[in-house]
Amino acid sequence: MESIEHLIGGKKTSEAGGRLGPVFNPATGIQIADVALASADEISKAIEIADSAFSEWSSRTPINRARVMYRYKQLLEKHAEELAELVSREHGKTLPDALGSVQRGIEVVEFACGIPQLLKGEYSSSVGSDVDSYNTRKPLGVCVGITPFNFPAMVPLWMFPIALACGNTFILKPSEKDPSCPFRMVELAHEAGVPPGALNVVNGDKEAVDALLADSRVKAVSFVGSSPIAEYVYHLGTANNKRVQALGGAKNHMIVMPDADSNRTVDALVGSAFGSAGERCMAISVAVCVGDETANRIRDDLITATSKLKIGPYTDPEADYGPVNTKHQLDKIIGYVEKGEQEGAKLVADGRGVSLQGYEGGYFLGPCIFDHVTTDMTIYQEEIFGPVLSIVRASEYGEALRMANEHPLGNGAAIFTNNGGVARHFVDHAQVGMVGVNVPIPVPVASHSFGGWKGSLFGDHAMHGPEGVRFYTKLKTATITWPDGENAGPEFSIPVLS
Ligand code: NAD
């Protein structure tokens, strides 16, 4: 069986006799690898290496680092299919979906190639008599990325290309459930010219995360994962004087207005609720239908559309989506389906009991749709993170908006309508970080920034785009004069502008 180690200073390493975690192929349920789980000592060594690489990397010119990023983009493109296969094998998502996520990550590297433009400061001539002022943005030092299982290529690429292009060094702690793709992406970054010590991978679990959060040499932490862990990482990291951006879970609502185009709405709901087995932080998990006629029509069309979906392993080119990632996750989702029934929601499509020939041990679950879900139910309140869609009925737009806004999570939300006035009101008033109008999964492109509101983001900065550059740099402002007149002697009162 394959063993996945850490990659520290460019060397594959792991402690003899150290803890190991299992990595499964979710389509078969068979363990395919062991991954080393770093101890606090191994974390300390990785931080030492990243810290000592900072001086050389940060003193390079921004264009030198951007050229490395450009070579990296080319290498990622060349290896995109290999990376997608690594994602699919350990995550379970279909190959086209995995390839799409690699491509969205490459777009962040493309953005990083232009970072010299964003590191430029602002200049003011003559802020005082013979005094000029300018500011620049400087790197922070060692930055850390802790990432979830559901996007093992894209989410790490939201982080380290931006941090590196800004002059920081980096330690990536990917999900221990699908660690092969991030490991390979870091090898490729070294091949592109990132110094080995400037980008490191440590595999691990809570022990590794806690050691990273405790060490004063780590200056900033980017986290993506579930909300309880995001909140924990935010509090522990900031208590230890680090910058932290911690993105959490989601319960994304789609409001369906009576005038929305039925076919487009149903297609959008099917793709966004069930694509990647619902394991996307921007998946739509709640459809708020305005009016009973809208709800009945959308429900019936959804039942028909989802009955035609093909669930299969990533090796099946016809599969619409694959298994969920772990047995634990499968059991948890089925637990939510049972809870929904107990609490009185109407299960109108039941995906339980799927068994695929040759893949009997896989973690497959067909589409589950609940109608008549109400806001007091557990399946409405909690993130399920699986192929389960809840239909909630609202009597009018205001009630639908209120529901979305009162939910404690605020990652994304969408509205489907042909009414520009309602859509504009929604964009202005939805209490979420990312809104879509007739776009079900409004994931910002790399030159904008990704992040939610409320319990979906702890911290002040979203990821990548201009917010990412602000997060990974600190501001320095210079005030400069070259006096050529008489020395006026010491000044005891605060100087004011004249
Ligand atoms: P998770 O919170 O279980 O794990 C995320 C990371 O935290 C992993 O690297 C894991 O090793 C580490 N971790 C787990 N438990 C820990 C603990 N007790 N202490 C310290 N570290 C710990 O999340 P997951 O199951 O890997 O990913 C799914 C979650 O991520 C979902 O909630 C999903 O919505 C969320 N997500 C959010 C976004 C976003 O942009 N907001 C994007 C992708 C995924």
Side-chain angles (χ1 to χ4, degrees):
M1 195 167 20
E2 201 189 333
S3 289
I4 303 161
E5 297 182 284
H6 318 297
L7 191 58
I8 300 176
K11 293 197 184 80
K12 287 185 185 177
T13 160
S14 60
E15 219 165 46
R19 287 187 309 127
L20 299 173
V23 179
F24 294 93
N25 175 346
T28 59
I30 294 171
Q31 187 180 345
I32 50 175
D34 270 328
V35 61
L37 303 176
S39 66
D41 273 356
E42 288 174 296
I43 293 294
S44 180
K45 280 183 203 129
I47 297 172
E48 192 181 320
I49 299 263
D51 196 30
S52 55
F54 178 66
S55 165
E56 191 276 328
W57 180 246
S58 62
S59 60
R60 291 197 194 185
T61 57
I63 193 66
N64 177 294
R65 294 191 299 256
R67 284 181 186 140
V68 174
M69 285 301 129
Y70 188 70
R71 285 195 293 276
Y72 187 40
K73 167 190 134 62
Q74 291 173 312
L75 271 178
L76 287 172
E77 281 167 347
K78 189 171 150 201
H79 291 268
E81 289 189 2
E82 174 199 345
L83 294 169
E85 168 105 26
L86 292 176
V87 170
S88 292
R89 193 160 58 102
E90 295 178 358
H91 175 279
K93 64 178 83 182
T94 65
L95 275 174
D97 190 25
L99 199 56
S101 72
V102 172
Q103 180 54 36
R104 289 304 293 259
I106 292 174
E107 288 166 16
V108 181
V109 182
E110 268 168 355
F111 170 77
C113 295
I115 277 181
Q117 173 72 9
L118 295 174
L119 295 178
K120 283 195 315 196
E122 294 161 315
Y123 185 89
S124 301
S125 170
S126 301
V127 289
S129 203
D130 295 329
V131 181
D132 305 319
S133 193
Y134 70 90
N135 61 265
T136 52
R137 302 207 69 95
K138 297 288 183 192
L140 308 173
V142 179
C143 300
V144 160
I146 301 161
T147 55
F149 78 82
N150 67 321
F151 280 113
M154 184 178 80
V155 170
L157 289 174
W158 286 355
M159 301 172 179
F160 69 76
I162 309 273
L164 288 168
C166 290
N168 302 283
T169 58
F170 204 88
I171 300 173
L172 176 64
K173 205 302 284 171
S175 169
E176 64 277 33
K177 293 176 187 138
D178 43 18
S180 291
C181 177
F183 191 98
R184 183 72 187 120
M185 291 196 308
V186 168
E187 283 183 331
L188 291 173
H190 294 156
E191 200 179 318
V194 175
L199 178 61
N200 306 275
V201 184
V202 291
N203 284 305
D205 53 10
K206 180 172 168 51
E207 183 173 343
V209 171
D210 286 350
L212 289 163
L213 293 173
D215 198 302
S216 62
R217 293 168 294 179
V218 171
K219 302 301 176 204
V221 177
S222 301
F223 173 91
V224 177
S226 57
S227 286
I229 311 293
E231 190 169 8
Y232 167 78
V233 166
Y234 177 75
H235 286 304
L236 190 55
T238 52
N240 288 326
N241 298 326
K242 299 175 200 322
R243 254 181 214 201
V244 182
Q245 50 176 185
L247 276 59
K251 195 81 182 175
N252 304 315
H253 291 51
M254 184 206 279
I255 296 179
V256 183
M257 296 298 291
D259 66 353
D261 178 295
S262 261
N263 290 339
R264 281 176 198 271
T265 305
V266 169
D267 283 348
L269 274 171
V270 170
S272 60
F274 303 108
S276 201
E279 290 176 328
R280 292 183 182 136
C281 63
M282 288 294 276
I284 294 290
S285 48
V286 180
V288 189
C289 296
V290 175
D292 278 332
E293 190 280 326
T294 312
N296 294 341
R297 178 167 39 89
I298 294 294
R299 176 203 58 205
D300 292 347
D301 290 355
L302 276 171
I303 294 170
T304 309
T306 51
S307 68
K308 296 178 191 148
L309 294 185
K310 183 161 189 218
I311 295 124
Y314 76 90
T315 42
D316 178 351
E318 284 171 8
D320 293 303
Y321 72 84
V324 300
N325 182 245
T326 58
K327 176 79 169 66
H328 174 75
Q329 185 70 7
L330 180 66
D331 293 343
K332 194 168 150 197
I333 299 165
I334 289 173
Y336 275 116
V337 175
E338 288 163 358
K339 186 90 179 161
E341 286 187 294
Q342 284 157 20
E343 290 185 347
K346 192 151 184 280
L347 188 63
V348 294
D350 184 354
R352 288 172 294 182
V354 171
S355 178
L356 300 181
Q357 204 182 354
Y359 295 91
E360 289 78 4
Y363 315 135
F364 294 98
L365 181 61
C368 298
I369 303 173
F370 277 108
D371 194 3
H372 295 284
V373 174
T374 52
T375 55
D376 54 340
M377 292 179 182
T378 311
I379 56 165
Y380 176 82
Q381 289 167 350
E382 296 182 11
E383 181 185 43
I384 299 175
F385 219 55
V388 182
L389 176 67
S390 294
I391 298 173
V392 182
R393 291 164 180 245
S395 56
E396 39 91 35
Y397 163 71
E399 187 189 356
L401 178 67
R402 229 174 4 260
M403 282 179 196
N405 286 352
E406 284 174 5
H407 200 282
L409 299 174
N411 216 35
I415 190 164
F416 271 58
T417 181
N418 276 323
N419 182 327
V422 170
R424 189 170 190 286
H425 184 277
F426 178 74
V427 170
D428 259 11
H429 293 88
Q431 298 297 309
V432 296
M434 295 167 283
V435 249
V437 173
N438 300 321
V439 173
I441 303 191
V443 173
V445 296
S447 54
H448 286 263
S449 300
F450 184 109
W453 287 6
K454 300 187 279 187
S456 296
L457 193 157
F458 299 87
D460 308 313
H461 291 88
M463 295 213 176
H464 65 69
E467 286 272 288
V469 175
R470 270 178 228 124
F471 180 75
Y472 288 124
T473 54
K474 54 190 174 190
L475 191 70
K476 177 177 278 184
T477 307
T479 305
I480 298 172
T481 187
W482 298 97
D484 58 1
E486 292 258 310
N487 183 4
E491 179 100 54
F492 292 102
S493 5
I494 187 161
V496 291
L497 298 181
S498 57

